Amino acid sequence: GLSVATTRSVIASGSYDNTVKLWSRTDEADVLTLPHEGAVNDLAFSLDETYLVAGTDAGNVQLWDLRSEQLAATIPSRDGRINSVAIDNRSSAIASGSSSGSLKIWPLTTDTSSLKMPIVLSKSGAQINSLVFHPIDSNLLISGNQKGVIQVWNISQGSVVTTLKESDEQIVSIDISNDGQYVAT
């Protein structure tokens, strides 16, 4: 399996060999390897390209500070494999979705070594395969799950705003347009 995330200058690939590799978009010999606990299932860059978030088979979310190229935090979720991760446009929250259907939000502060307790949107249910924060309203998170359901979550209220049934097939990837008007699965 392979997860890829791209910024203006860097491409990150995560794989089942327990690593994330950072590739320069202009120099294919320039590679940095970041070790992980478990296979890497999903990746997300912060909008300002300061952080890279990785979700792993070991059930951890790992936050990398790309300025120092150091691991800033390892967040144990204890909810099975982390299949999906997202970081909001303000770099103020990380979301993770797991194989057990757990969906959590961690507020991100300047002191990444002491991340606060998560907001739990879902404790269990269908496996969460994909997540994306709304590009304008970072209080909204969109999830796609194994049962083909798309849900829009209000984070501050801890509730579902809208549920869309896409199909009987699993949602494996989800994204939202920059204006927040369209969701693609």
Side-chain angles (χ1 to χ4, degrees), residues 157-168:
Q157 293 178 358
S159 62
V160 175
V161 175
T162 304
T163 298
L164 305 171
K165 178 75 171 169
E166 171 65 18
S167 71
D168 291 330

Side-chain angles (χ1 to χ4, degrees), residues 143-159:
S143 65
N145 72 27
Q146 192 76 6
K147 292 188 176 180
V149 176
I150 302 162
Q151 292 179 304
V152 180
W153 299 83
N154 180 312
I155 296 168
S156 62
Q157 293 178 358
S159 62

Side-chain angles (χ1 to χ4, degrees), residues 42-99:
D42 198 17
L43 299 169
F45 279 107
S46 62
L47 186 63
D48 64 2
E49 302 180 17
T50 301
Y51 296 109
L52 177 67
V53 180
T56 72
D57 262 6
N60 295 327
V61 176
Q62 293 189 284
L63 176 67
W64 292 88
D65 184 330
L66 297 179
R67 296 165 298 191
S68 65
E69 300 178 355
Q70 298 295 314
L71 183 63
T74 297
I75 307 165
S77 85
R78 300 178 184 90
D79 295 311
R81 292 183 322 274
I82 301 299
N83 294 333
S84 52
V85 291
I87 187 166
D88 75 346
N89 284 347
R90 297 178 302 158
S91 299
S92 63
I94 297 169
S96 69
S98 77
S99 59

Side-chain angles (χ1 to χ4, degrees), residues 1 20 23 30 35 38 40 62 76 83 107 109-110 114 120 127 132 163 166 176:
V20 167
W23 307 80
D30 186 10
V40 177
Q62 293 189 284
N83 294 333
T109 63
T110 52
S114 63
V120 179
Q127 175 174 294
V132 63
T163 298
E166 171 65 18
I176 189 168

